[in-house]
Amino acid sequence: MDNTAWFDSFRKSRHHAFLKEKPIAYFCIEYALSDTIPTYAGGLGVLAGDFVRELADQKIPAVAVGLLYHSIYGAHDAIHGKIVTESVSSSQHEKELVPVLDKNKTQLLIKVPILDHDVLVKVWLWEKNSIPVYLLDTDVTENTQVDRDITYKLYDSNKETRIKQEMVLGIGGFRVLEALGIQPSIYHMNEGHSALLDLEIIRHEMEKRKIGFQEAQSLSTHHVVFTNHTLVPAGNEVFSNDLFTLLLTKYASDLGVPVTELSGLGTIQESNTFSLSLFGLRLAGKINAVSQLHAKEAVKSWPDYLFEAVTNGIHLPSWDKVGNPASDGKNHGNSNEMIGLKHTENKRELLRYIKGRMGVDWKENELLLGWARRMVPYKRPLALFEDLKRFKEIAYNSERPVKVVITGIAHQGDNAGREIIQQLQVLIKKELSSAAVFLPDYSTTIAKLLTSGCDIWLNTPVVGSEACGTSGMKACLNGVLPCTTKDGWMAEVDVTRIGWTVASDNIQESLLQTISEQIVPLYYSEDKTRWEKSMKNGRELILHQYSATRMLKEYFEKLYLPIITTSYKHYGF
């Protein structure tokens, strides 16, 4: 049974009927919903955006919870070593979002105990081509300015603000659903940022069953799915135990539980450090990684936990610029000729954008390499230019030139990432002004241009560091060939059928050698047969194996359905 047929059957089942009464609640700190509202920073948010759209496509009873931010995320002026913060007006939010009202038809406000007082939180609804997404916002007049600023910007570099954001997301998110009368059977936490949701699930069990904290804790885990997305420190947040316990003082008091008992659930052994990831792992009934390799690597870091592997997939209608996939799986525009023609159109569109934005006029018959993702050292965005002399010899060959387009952002507290952006911009300006461009203001709009318009998609992470890497899926879907290390999802496929692999432990030499000796000659060859065959192979691979439909089906089979099945007796179904 194919993925679409599986969901056709599922919608007729008692499991689907059960979810209509007790839906799935999906929690994430970022969602790529629209470029006009700043609710995402990178891959985690893009994945979450794809996920909520796929849930809607498959008519799955579900809701999502996140935060609404008031400034656009990213290092826009990295070449000067500055972060330029651009605020989004309330009127813009009101164009995109609907205020959530209470039973008295006034804007719903809920309370989240932080430090020694309650913070008021209002709620907005996004529901455009997705399940309902509730976005929490502390910019409430009655709050102090410090509390109003909790949701001002995504991934605030201040540790105290970050914990407050995660309290609003997890604790506040549960209370929003409670206020709206939504009673989920499954709470899916997409990464550790929402892990404090566990405390509210425990509180709910304590109050409902009149039981103690420990007993409620063991019961609450049954409802929780926890998805880990990264093994690197930046994605697995840690805080001072003292700061964490201080901020949860009032919450613990209201709960009637010593705050040290709460913090102990996330304390790293023999340290004074609190880990949100460890907290989430300890309180989850089901845990998954987002590729097969990621699951193997995760066990090395957390040997006490069982990680299911559910490799990420992409929402085909959102990313396909070759042909619009129909729900019946037909008419995918999958002939060699169609893919080639559409790719040429998409490349022209990208080149027009580059010319208009950067003033650089490149020809459509010149080989174009693309690299776009978050700027962190393990992704090695500078690998292509480490041997600058050799790269320039390749790029400036008058008969077979090579062009490069690069883009990406760094977390605002990530000085190393911001320094990489600055290095790239300075390098391009001084040495590669006619061979490379760095596009500022990275967004999903720019991502769609690049993943459909480049000829080659560069993917250079250290093997074992990238959880999955879905940008390569989007590129392959649109006939862009990968040149990649065997990390993330690429470890699961035969890359020789769709592109080229490079050696992770010798990335600089391997990358330049592969480009100059294999990619360039093939691209400029009069015989396009192999190139076009690889384009078709890559597209078919994504359509059949790496769609969000397949991903969601695996979430049901491996994680959701076991919870639903054992919940029938509990809920009387």
Side-chain angles (χ1 to χ4, degrees):
M1 184 183 295
D2 68 23
N3 298 324
T4 301
W6 189 93
F7 280 104
D8 290 340
S9 176
F10 176 76
R11 286 190 291 271
K12 301 172 185 176
S13 71
R14 68 169 183 156
H15 303 310
H16 189 265
F18 173 76
L19 288 178
K20 288 181 179 179
E21 300 293 326
K22 305 287 182 181
I24 297 166
Y26 185 80
F27 280 67
C28 191
I29 202 165
E30 55 170 303
Y31 294 88
L33 303 173
S34 164
D35 281 346
T36 58
I37 56 171
T39 53
Y40 73 99
L44 181 68
V46 172
L47 183 281
D50 278 14
F51 199 85
V52 297
R53 291 184 178 95
E54 188 65 36
L55 284 166
D57 288 354
Q58 302 307 331
K59 298 179 176 61
I60 302 301
V63 296
V65 179
L67 300 180
L68 179 66
Y69 308 98
H70 295 267
S71 65
I72 296 173
Y73 186 88
H76 301 287
D77 192 25
I79 195 167
H80 298 117
K82 300 177 182 178
I83 292 177
V84 178
T85 301
E86 183 180 344
S87 297
V88 176
S89 67
S90 298
S91 61
Q92 184 61 54
H93 285 155
E94 290 166 5
K95 288 179 184 177
E96 298 276 359
L97 304 165
V98 177
V100 176
L101 307 180
D102 60 21
K103 60 184 178 181
N104 298 317
K105 304 302 180 183
T106 58
Q107 188 156 37
L108 176 66
L109 291 175
I110 57 106
K111 296 178 180 178
V112 177
I114 297 177
L115 242 173
D116 58 355
H117 64 284
D118 288 325
V119 174
L120 293 176
V121 180
K122 60 185 177 183
V123 190
W124 302 86
L125 173 65
W126 169 278
E127 200 171 10
K128 298 178 182 178
N129 302 315
S130 80
I131 60 171
V133 182
Y134 295 101
L135 300 173
L136 281 60
D137 178 8
T138 63
D139 187 22
V140 177
T141 304
E142 293 85 348
N143 284 336
T144 66
Q145 190 60 51
V146 170
D147 288 340
R148 293 180 73 168
D149 287 344
I150 291 173
T151 57
Y152 181 66
K153 59 185 176 182
L154 174 57
Y155 297 130
D156 195 297
S157 58
N158 181 280
K159 289 283 191 179
E160 181 174 332
T161 304
R162 288 282 278 276
I163 298 177
K164 290 177 179 178
Q165 288 182 340
E166 286 146 356
M167 292 177 71
V168 171
L169 175 60
I171 296 170
F174 184 97
R175 295 184 179 191
V176 167
L177 299 182
E178 195 172 43
L180 295 173
I182 299 170
Q183 300 177 23
S185 58
I186 296 170
Y187 295 89
H188 184 166
M189 298 187 299
N190 194 39
E191 196 51 276
H193 306 292
S194 56
L196 298 181
L197 164 66
D198 283 312
L199 295 178
E200 279 293 278
I201 302 173
I202 294 171
R203 175 188 65 80
H204 177 74
E205 293 288 348
M206 290 172 67
E207 293 177 357
K208 179 181 178 181
R209 301 174 183 276
K210 311 300 181 187
I211 57 178
F213 183 81
Q214 295 290 343
E215 188 178 355
Q217 177 188 328
S218 63
L219 288 173
S220 69
T221 58
H222 166 71
H223 304 286
V224 178
V225 173
F226 179 82
T227 300
N228 174 265
H229 278 270
T230 180
L231 299 170
V232 298
N236 295 285
E237 291 190 288
V238 294
F239 303 98
S240 159
N241 236 336
D242 295 337
L243 177 60
F244 180 81
T245 54
L246 176 66
L247 293 176
L248 263 79
T249 299
K250 186 177 189 306
Y251 183 85
S253 177
D254 292 350
L255 193 61
V257 176
V259 70
T260 52
E261 189 166 354
L262 304 186
S263 63
L265 293 170
T267 300
I268 298 173
Q269 191 173 7
E270 298 180 358
S271 77
N272 189 38
T273 302
F274 179 89
S275 165
L276 273 171
S277 292
L278 188 56
F279 184 91
L281 291 170
R282 283 175 174 162
L283 295 176
K286 297 287 184 180
I287 303 165
N288 75 283
V290 293
S291 72
Q292 294 174 22
L293 179 59
H294 180 209
K296 294 176 183 177
E297 294 294 327
V299 171
K300 297 177 184 177
S301 298
W302 295 296
D304 296 332
Y305 301 95
L306 175 64
F307 285 79
E308 292 280 2
V310 180
T311 302
N312 284 339
I314 60 173
H315 185 243
L316 298 179
S318 293
W319 296 99
D320 189 2
K321 294 189 67 177
V322 169
N324 296 315
S327 59
D328 62 3
K330 299 177 181 178
N331 191 28
H332 288 300
N334 222 24
S335 69
N336 288 10
E337 182 181 7
M338 176 62 74
I339 297 172
L341 288 172
K342 287 298 295 182
H343 178 263
T344 299
E345 291 178 17
N346 293 331
K347 186 173 183 180
R348 287 171 184 162
E349 184 182 3
L350 172 58
L351 293 176
R352 284 195 298 270
Y353 179 85
I354 291 172
K355 182 179 179 180
R357 186 71 175 86
M358 307 304 295
V360 177
D361 191 6
W362 289 339
K363 298 175 183 177
E364 68 178 70
N365 62 351
E366 295 175 331
L367 177 62
L368 181 58
L369 316 181
W371 191 103
R373 47 192 42 85
R374 187 164 56 88
M375 292 287 174
V376 289
Y378 79 83
K379 295 178 187 283
R380 299 188 288 198
L382 295 169
L384 190 62
F385 310 116
E386 294 293 342
D387 186 340
L388 187 58
K389 180 181 178 182
R390 187 174 175 192
F391 173 76
K392 289 172 76 172
E393 290 173 353
I394 298 169
Y396 287 117
N397 183 308
S398 60
E399 295 182 359
R400 301 189 304 183
V402 174
K403 308 297 184 184
V404 186
V405 55
I406 302 174
T407 187
I409 58 175
H411 283 181
Q412 293 186 5
D414 182 4
N415 292 329
R418 290 170 58 199
E419 184 177 342
I420 290 171
I421 294 175
Q422 187 173 1
Q423 286 179 312
L424 276 168
Q425 290 183 309
V426 170
L427 176 66
I428 290 170
K429 184 178 180 180
K430 291 184 175 180
E431 301 282 352
L432 301 167
S433 58
S434 62
V437 295
F438 180 90
L439 296 179
D441 306 328
Y442 186 39
S443 65
T444 53
T445 298
I446 294 175
K448 289 174 183 179
L449 288 172
L450 266 65
T451 54
S452 63
C454 292
D455 298 305
I456 294 291
W457 196 250
L458 299 176
N459 184 49
T460 52
V462 177
V463 169
S465 301
E466 190 76 85
C468 186
T470 57
S471 66
M473 298 177 189
K474 296 153 194 166
C476 285
L477 176 68
N478 290 294
V480 179
L481 307 189
C483 179
T484 178
T485 60
K486 292 278 283 183
D487 201 21
W489 75 283
M490 282 293 179
E492 302 172 20
V493 304
D494 179 4
V495 180
T496 61
R497 296 186 68 252
I498 62 174
W500 296 266
T501 57
V502 290
S504 178
D505 56 357
N506 187 24
I507 186 67
Q508 171 194 313
E509 174 65 24
S510 182
L511 188 60
L512 292 177
Q513 185 174 1
T514 300
I515 292 170
S516 63
E517 297 181 9
Q518 297 183 51
I519 296 175
V520 168
L522 187 62
Y523 179 82
Y524 285 104
S525 169
E526 292 184 5
D527 184 0
K528 303 297 183 182
T529 305
R530 182 185 163 195
W531 192 283
E532 291 175 349
K533 180 63 175 175
S534 295
M535 293 173 76
K536 183 177 180 180
N537 288 344
R539 180 168 171 79
E540 289 183 339
L541 177 70
I542 304 307
L543 290 172
H544 298 300
Q545 297 183 43
Y546 290 97
S547 69
T549 311
R550 186 274 311 153
M551 171 182 66
L552 183 60
K553 174 174 170 279
E554 287 193 18
Y555 269 107
F556 269 96
E557 291 175 332
K558 296 182 178 182
L559 303 167
Y560 295 164
L561 287 178
I563 294 175
I564 292 170
T565 300
T566 56
S567 293
Y568 285 135
K569 184 177 181 180
H570 175 74
Y571 288 109
F573 274 73

